[in-house]
Amino acid sequence: LTAHKLQYFQFLGSTEVEQPKGTEVVRDAVRKLKFARHIKKSEGQKTPKVELQISIYGVKILDPKTKEVQHNCQLHRISFCADDKTDKRIFTFICKDSESNKHLCYVFDSEKCAEEITLTIGQAFDLAYRKFLESGGKDVETRKQIAGLQKRIQELETENAELKNKVQDLENQLRITQVHASPAGSVTPKSPSTDIFDMVPFSPISPQSSTPTRNGTQPPPVPSRSTEIKRDLFGAEPFDPFSCGAGDFPPDIQSKLDEMQEGFKMGLTLEGTVFCLDPLDSRC
């Protein structure tokens, strides 16, 4: 189940709920959104259609024409999924929003395949949990080690910059002391500036020598180091943890791991229930 793309559905919308699970919770949400759809129909508005894409990475709600992702619900955030056992059309799930941390109930109207959708989401949740147990811990541990190395490199770079500033200050003080110590009116021969260890500072940019060779021609230029990136036999660039940017990894990996672990431990409850309880529901 890499990616299970399904047909179009009518999307009644989403609404905030107080609890992550419960038949009564989703029943109230379905009734609320059904009533809102009934009002919109009376005003001549059509219920929007969406496309669902279910995989081990989550449930995506896409625009059927532009394929733009309207909602991306990660599986470890989905806690409850239910379908209507009476007309086989209505199905819903509760997902914890990643930004607001509020529980939102999403409601859809399908073409007599609500139970299939519910079971598909349950299967994807089970596979995602297995994948998390098999490889999630190893991947996170590796990323934690790389993040630690990156942090240490930044600390060393900062420390190195501070030491350079201190050395420069000491050199300036030494020059001032030498000027004050020299006799008045005497002229000292100009020599290259040295550091506190009497060494000429290293300059990474050295002027090219223009001295001709014996036959009067210029020496051949030094071949520059190839900037071409080496690749392995599979055509992939070699992995270098020191070239990774700070944005390549989340700032707090442990919190992400804890969040996923908590979501999977809560589990996904699949349930078949009856949403249509009065004549108004059947007309919506």
Side-chain angles (χ1 to χ4, degrees):
L1 187 68
T2 305
H4 188 86
K5 187 178 291 186
L6 305 169
Q7 66 266 35
Y8 303 148
F9 304 100
Q10 289 186 349
F11 182 36
L12 277 67
S14 62
T15 182
E16 183 181 352
V17 293
E18 296 296 329
Q19 301 294 330
K21 297 176 182 286
T23 303
E24 292 298 326
V25 175
V26 294
R27 182 176 290 155
D28 291 342
V30 169
R31 287 169 59 90
K32 177 181 178 181
L33 293 174
K34 271 190 171 184
F35 182 75
R37 181 174 68 168
H38 180 70
I39 298 298
K40 291 180 180 179
K41 276 187 175 182
S42 66
E43 297 174 351
Q45 299 183 32
K46 293 184 178 181
T47 304
K49 289 186 176 181
V50 296
E51 180 180 306
L52 284 190
Q53 191 178 65
I54 304 173
S55 69
I56 60 173
Y57 304 105
V59 178
K60 289 183 179 180
I61 305 174
L62 302 91
D63 183 285
K65 293 182 179 179
T66 64
K67 304 303 179 182
E68 180 183 358
V69 179
Q70 299 177 352
H71 302 277
N72 187 9
C73 304
Q74 296 175 312
L75 286 176
H76 69 275
R77 291 179 171 271
I78 299 178
S79 54
F80 192 84
C81 189
D83 59 271
D84 195 333
K85 294 301 182 184
T86 55
D87 63 3
K88 307 291 184 182
R89 295 177 58 184
I90 299 296
F91 70 93
T92 177
F93 62 82
I94 298 176
C95 179
K96 189 176 182 181
D97 186 69
S98 59
E99 296 182 359
S100 64
N101 279 333
K102 296 179 179 179
H103 297 287
L104 301 178
C105 183
Y106 296 81
V107 181
F108 304 85
D109 189 338
S110 67
E111 294 295 333
K112 307 292 183 181
C113 61
E115 185 178 4
E116 175 191 349
I117 306 302
T118 302
L119 295 176
T120 302
I121 294 176
Q123 180 186 11
F125 185 93
D126 183 57
L127 292 175
Y129 184 44
R130 292 180 186 177
K131 182 178 177 64
F132 173 77
L133 293 177
E134 291 174 358
S135 61
K138 297 178 182 178
D139 293 343
V140 170
E141 185 63 30
T142 302
R143 292 187 178 188
K144 285 173 65 177
Q145 292 177 1
I146 296 176
L149 287 173
Q150 289 179 330
K151 183 178 180 181
R152 181 57 180 158
I153 291 172
Q154 291 177 353
E155 292 175 351
L156 291 174
E157 289 177 348
T158 303
E159 184 179 348
N160 187 35
E162 293 176 353
L163 290 174
K164 283 183 178 179
N165 292 334
K166 290 181 179 179
V167 170
Q168 186 65 40
D169 292 339
L170 290 174
E171 289 179 356
N172 294 335
Q173 293 177 9
L174 182 60
R175 291 194 190 98
I176 294 173
T177 304
Q178 290 175 347
V179 169
H180 288 303
S182 61
S186 62
V187 179
T188 57
K190 187 175 180 180
S191 61
S193 59
T194 58
D195 58 17
I196 54 175
F197 303 106
D198 293 331
M199 299 291 291
V200 177
F202 170 74
S203 176
I205 304 176
S206 57
Q208 293 183 353
S209 174
S210 58
T211 304
T213 55
R214 293 180 180 178
N215 58 4
T217 60
Q218 293 289 340
V222 179
S224 60
R225 186 179 178 182
S226 175
T227 57
E228 182 181 358
I229 301 176
K230 296 181 179 180
R231 300 178 182 271
D232 58 18
L233 71 166
F234 299 105
E237 297 180 9
F239 173 70
D240 184 2
F242 300 100
S243 65
C244 300
D248 294 339
F249 302 100
D252 189 354
I253 301 176
Q254 189 60 43
S255 64
K256 293 288 184 183
L257 176 62
D258 294 340
E259 176 197 323
M260 294 183 68
Q261 203 164 16
E262 180 182 355
F264 281 125
K265 278 186 176 180
M266 180 183 290
L268 173 63
T269 303
L270 304 180
E271 191 168 306
T273 185
V274 178
F275 296 131
C276 299
L277 299 176
D278 53 35
L280 176 62
D281 284 334
S282 61
R283 290 199 303 272
C284 295

